[in-house]
């Protein structure tokens, strides 16, 4: 089973990475630091775009774990840009496997978490993933691990 953790946080050892460690304990996985890649916003055609590199790794994975801190009441910009860029290059239903979402912040309100979970459910459904769920803390991540 090939597992890819996409960390939308610029902090390699922060809370988002810690949630991934709790979810994926005992499993080998690759971490892709999303902020290390240049991914242009939807509609831009600028040199140096690395979307295809990221998509190649996503297509190889059997389990996709996307992690985002809560920034400005929502999914962080790096993850949002990645999701936006799926339009066009990724056909509906063309991916496989399971998708999990890690979403954490200092004190997010319930509606913020619900909005993030809704977005990821729709993303998973649109592109062919079985949605495994969302974790917002280590306890929830450990519970989600049973669905791997």
């Amino acid at each position: 089973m090939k597992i890819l953790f996409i960390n939308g946080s610029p902090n390699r050892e922060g809370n988002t990475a810690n949630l991934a460690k709790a979810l994926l304990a005992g499993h080998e996985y690759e971490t892709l630091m999303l902020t290390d890649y240049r991914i242009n916003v939807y509609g831009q055609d600028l040199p140096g775009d690395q979307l295809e590199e990221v998509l190649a790794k996503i297509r190889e994975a059997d389990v996709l774990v996307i992690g985002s801190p809560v920034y400005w009441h929502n999914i962080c910009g790096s993850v949002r840009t990645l999701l936006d860029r799926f339009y066009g290059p990724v056909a509906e239903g063309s991916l496989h496997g399971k998708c999990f979402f890690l979403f954490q912040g200092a004190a997010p309100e319930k509606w913020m978490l619900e909005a993030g979970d809704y977005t990821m459910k729709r993303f998973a459904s649109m592109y062919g993933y079985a949605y495994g769920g969302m974790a917002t803390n280590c306890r929830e991540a450990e519970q989600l691990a049973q669905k791997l």
Side-chain angles (χ1 to χ4, degrees), residues 71-122:
Y71 289 163
W72 286 99
H73 317 294
N74 210 325
I75 294 170
C76 69
S78 60
V79 171
R80 174 61 66 185
T81 297
L82 176 64
L83 299 181
D84 287 349
R85 288 291 306 279
F86 267 66
Y87 290 116
V90 182
E92 286 188 32
S94 67
L95 299 175
H96 68 280
K98 295 180 182 177
C99 179
F100 295 87
F101 185 44
L102 305 175
F103 196 36
Q104 59 75 38
E109 295 180 30
K110 183 180 176 191
W111 68 267
M112 296 173 201
L113 299 176
E114 289 171 345
D117 191 38
Y118 174 80
T119 298
M120 294 310 297
K121 281 180 190 173
R122 296 280 301 146

Side-chain angles (χ1 to χ4, degrees), residues 4 6 50 58 61 68 81 91-92 96 103 105-106 125 139 143 148:
L4 177 64
I6 295 179
Q50 295 176 287
I58 290 170
S68 172
T81 297
E92 286 188 32
H96 68 280
F103 196 36
S125 174
R139 180 184 46 79
Q143 291 171 344
L148 286 171

